Amino acid sequence: MKIRLVLVVAAAAALAACSETSTGPTQPRPGARTSDDIVTCRSGYHVATRADGGEYCEEDS
């Protein structure tokens, strides 16, 4: 009986600790880039910037 009580208390404490963590999206600092924003190109290409500031992969000359 005591073991069950200890397990129930431990499970409740673990769930309570999880509720403190945020799972929602966070707002990055202004100007900060996320890993989704970083453009990487395969071999033979380089990152180029359009006039509007967008980035794309352009073939090496």
Side-chain angles (χ1 to χ4, degrees):
M1 185 69 175
K2 289 182 182 181
I3 293 175
R4 286 185 186 170
L5 181 61
V6 170
L7 289 175
V8 168
V9 170
L15 289 175
C18 290
S19 68
E20 296 298 320
T21 60
S22 174
T23 58
T26 59
Q27 292 292 336
R29 298 182 320 270
R33 301 183 100 182
T34 64
S35 61
D36 294 338
D37 293 337
I38 299 172
V39 176
T40 56
C41 301
R42 65 182 183 186
S43 180
Y45 290 82
H46 65 274
V47 177
T49 306
R50 295 185 185 100
D52 67 357
E55 295 177 335
Y56 67 99
C57 294
E58 183 177 84
E59 189 173 4
D60 292 338
S61 305

